């Protein structure tokens, strides 16, 4: 989701863009070959690269915890808006685009893509009163994940909104205890709850923590909050922690773990690996200094641009994929491989442009006004930067 309350960070938007593009490319692959296997004629590397759509949602969750915690961590772990103020800002930011995208999806189903065609879009059909009500109440992760889901990406919006309800309580926890302790406790409890629910009806409905109610995401959200705490804390110790190059090693190691184990271990553990890898990328990109390869890559201008409307891209891409395939490519009879490449190389840019238009009309008007922290918080933030620079100068002088 979009950041709230702080100046936008280019590397965060870059990560959002990569996650959103991965989700779209993953659903393009499913559009052509679900539930059939991909033929050997298609380059394996091309398919493998776009096979991590679920993992990309884990990245979004960590980024959400990071972005929401930043202004609070900079304000000495105090919520400047209060509990109800926070809820109002989140609702104003998230819900109008979501409900407009829900209406957009229902309109396309009613007019153009409401009949089964043998693709993954069929799992969204038929639209029922129960599914509409569940989506209006943001309970679709409990009710409609197996069938009639209207738009098969909306499950994660409900999950994230449910985490927002817990966020003020997490902030109080953060205020009282060390951030690492808080993150570890929340992550551990979320995994215990995840595996405890698997044998129950909730675990059955949610696909065993795959694409619906998934308590492990609470832990991933806390991992993002922990990363924000590291980025904002002052003092020599935290300055040294931010300067560690271990964060790149953590990112590389965790993402290698995800790639190697995604088909062999349970989904919640893969999600944790993706979350830790995202934390590593965030902390590596936030390191001060002129040369920062991770930040330079993530702040590539096209990525930052797409990251600015990644929420809109996430919300509306699924019905647009079906629309392009059903009316633009299927009638041509090009074959699966050519159709896949056409959707990937031509359809994806068109969907990105459509998402930008949706953002301009349906998301941009609801962006929250940036929060200006109190004067004492401003002075403290400035002092952190000054201390980091002074400590760097002292270390450099000592080496000389």
């Amino acid at each position: 989701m979009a950041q709230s309350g702080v100046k936008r960070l280019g590397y965060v938007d870059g990560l959002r863009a990569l996650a959103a593009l991965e989700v779209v490319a993953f659903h393009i692959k499913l559009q052509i070959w679900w539930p059939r296997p991909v033929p050997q004629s298609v380059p394996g590397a091309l398919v493998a690269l776009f096979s991590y759509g679920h993992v990309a949602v884990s990245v979004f969750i960590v980024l959400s915890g990071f972005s929401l915690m930043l202004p609070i961590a900079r304000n000495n772990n105090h919520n400047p808006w209060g509990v109800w103020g926070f809820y109002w800002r989140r609702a104003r930011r998230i819900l109008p685009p979501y409900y407009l995208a829900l209406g957009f999806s229902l309109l396309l189903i009613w007019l153009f893509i409401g009949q089964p065609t043998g693709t993954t879009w069929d799992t969204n059909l038929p639209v029922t009163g129960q599914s509409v009500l569940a989506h209006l109440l943001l309970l679709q992760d409990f009710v409609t994940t197996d069938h009639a889901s209207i738009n098969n990406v909306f499950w994660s919006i409900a999950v994230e909104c449910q985490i927002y309800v817990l966020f003020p309580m997490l902030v109080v926890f953060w205020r009282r205890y060390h951030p690492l302790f808080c993150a570890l406790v929340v992550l551990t409890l979320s995994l215990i709850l995840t595996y405890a629910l698997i044998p129950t009806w909730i675990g059955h409905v949610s696909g065993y923590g795959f694409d619906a109610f998934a308590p492990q995401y609470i832990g991933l959200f806390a991992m993002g909050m922990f990363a924000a705490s590291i980025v904002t804390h002052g003092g020599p110790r935290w300055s040294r922690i931010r300067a560690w190059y271990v964060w790149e090693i953590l990112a590389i190691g965790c993402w290698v773990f995800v790639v190697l184990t995604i088909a062999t271990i349970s989904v919640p553990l893969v999600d944790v690996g993706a979350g830790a890898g995202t934390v590593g990328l965030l902390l590596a990109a936030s390191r001060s200094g002129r040369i920062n390869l991770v930040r330079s890559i993530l702040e590539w201008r096209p990525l930052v641009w797409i990251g600015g409307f990644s929420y809109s891209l996430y919300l509306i891409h699924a019905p647009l994929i079906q629309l392009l395939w059903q009316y633009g490519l299927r009638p041509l009879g090009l074959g699966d491989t050519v159709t896949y490449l056409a959707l990937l190389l031509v359809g994806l840019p068109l969907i990105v442009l459509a998402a930008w238009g949706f953002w301009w009309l349906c998301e941009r008007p609801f962006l929250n006004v940036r929060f200006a922290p109190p004067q004492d918080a401003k002075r403290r933030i400035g002092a952190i930067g000054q201390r980091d620079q002074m400590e760097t100068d002292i270390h450099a002088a000592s080496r000389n």
Side-chain angles (χ1 to χ4, degrees):
M1 303 306 173
Q3 281 175 241
S4 174
V6 292
K7 181 180 178 182
R8 297 192 73 92
L9 299 175
Y11 60 85
V12 175
D13 278 335
L15 268 173
R16 282 198 186 95
L18 290 175
L21 291 172
E22 175 65 26
V23 170
V24 179
F26 174 69
H27 287 145
I28 286 175
K29 188 192 80 167
L30 292 185
Q31 179 72 23
I32 305 302
W33 287 298
W34 178 89
R36 297 171 291 133
V38 179
Q40 295 182 353
S41 59
V42 181
L46 181 63
V47 175
L49 182 63
F50 303 131
S51 299
Y52 300 94
H54 174 79
V55 172
V57 176
S58 302
V59 175
F60 279 127
I61 298 294
V62 174
L63 292 178
S64 183
F66 180 81
S67 299
L68 291 177
M69 189 61 185
L70 271 179
I72 293 173
R74 289 172 174 169
N75 197 35
N76 200 26
N77 287 340
H78 285 81
N79 185 348
W81 309 285
V83 174
W84 294 110
F86 168 79
Y87 288 153
W88 165 249
R89 288 173 61 85
R90 282 289 86 193
R92 182 180 182 275
R93 175 67 184 88
I94 299 301
L95 296 184
Y98 163 74
Y99 284 126
L100 289 168
L102 176 61
F104 177 67
S105 300
L106 289 171
L107 180 65
L108 289 182
I109 290 172
W110 179 43
L111 295 177
F112 302 110
I113 52 176
Q115 298 300 319
T117 55
T119 67
T120 185
W121 181 254
D122 291 356
T123 60
N124 298 301
L125 307 173
V127 173
T128 65
Q130 181 192 53
S131 63
V132 172
L133 180 61
H135 281 77
L136 291 175
L137 298 176
L138 288 165
L139 295 175
Q140 62 267 25
D141 53 333
F142 288 100
V143 179
T144 62
T145 55
D146 290 334
H147 199 60
S149 56
I150 300 177
N151 183 326
N152 52 340
V153 304
F154 284 171
W155 65 273
S156 68
I157 309 301
V159 171
E160 194 158 352
C161 287
Q162 289 152 16
I163 295 175
Y164 292 157
V165 175
L166 300 175
F167 181 64
M169 289 176 277
L170 293 176
V171 170
V172 173
F173 191 34
W174 245 254
R175 196 180 307 145
R176 295 182 178 179
Y177 300 100
H178 192 282
L180 179 59
F181 173 77
C182 294
L184 290 176
V185 168
V186 175
L187 178 62
T188 301
L189 292 177
S190 70
L191 287 174
I192 291 173
L193 180 60
T194 297
Y195 286 104
L197 290 177
I198 286 178
T200 69
W201 69 270
I202 295 177
H204 175 71
V205 169
S206 66
Y208 298 92
F210 188 75
D211 278 346
F213 178 69
Q216 72 266 21
Y217 285 137
I218 304 173
L220 268 63
F221 189 89
M223 293 168 71
M225 294 175 64
F226 169 69
S229 298
I230 293 180
V231 168
T232 55
H233 266 75
R237 182 181 61 174
W238 290 99
S239 177
R240 289 193 295 270
I241 291 174
R242 284 192 291 272
W244 287 349
Y245 282 90
V246 72
W247 303 119
E248 284 89 344
I249 299 173
L250 175 67
I252 294 171
C254 288
W255 284 111
V256 169
F257 166 80
V258 169
V259 171
L260 294 179
T261 63
I262 192 169
T264 58
I265 67 173
S266 62
V267 171
L269 295 181
V270 173
D271 288 336
V272 172
T278 305
V279 169
L281 288 174
L282 286 170
L283 295 177
S286 67
R287 182 187 299 113
S288 60
R290 292 184 178 180
I291 301 176
N292 189 318
L293 181 60
V294 175
R295 186 169 66 237
S296 297
I297 293 172
L298 294 177
E299 290 186 346
W300 186 42
R301 286 188 177 183
L303 282 181
V304 174
W305 176 67
I306 294 173
F309 57 89
S310 58
Y311 182 40
S312 291
L313 179 59
Y314 187 82
L315 286 174
I316 69 169
H317 75 272
L320 293 181
I321 291 173
Q322 176 68 17
L323 195 69
L324 287 172
W325 174 84
Q326 187 171 330
Y327 292 98
L329 293 173
R330 184 176 68 164
L332 299 178
L334 300 175
D336 288 347
T337 302
V338 175
T339 301
Y340 170 65
L341 293 174
L343 270 178
L344 199 61
L345 300 177
V346 180
L348 193 152
L350 291 175
I351 292 170
V352 168
L353 290 176
W356 178 80
F358 183 88
W359 171 84
W360 187 267
L361 294 173
C362 301
E363 184 180 353
R364 182 174 175 267
F366 301 99
L367 294 176
N368 286 315
V369 178
R370 290 177 182 172
F371 164 70
Q375 291 301 317
D376 61 333
K378 288 183 179 180
R379 288 193 296 270
R380 194 175 63 83
I381 294 167
I384 291 173
Q386 292 174 5
R387 281 196 297 268
D388 285 354
Q389 185 60 50
M390 290 175 62
E391 288 155 8
T392 301
D393 295 341
I394 291 170
H395 292 318
S398 64
R399 288 195 298 270
N400 294 331

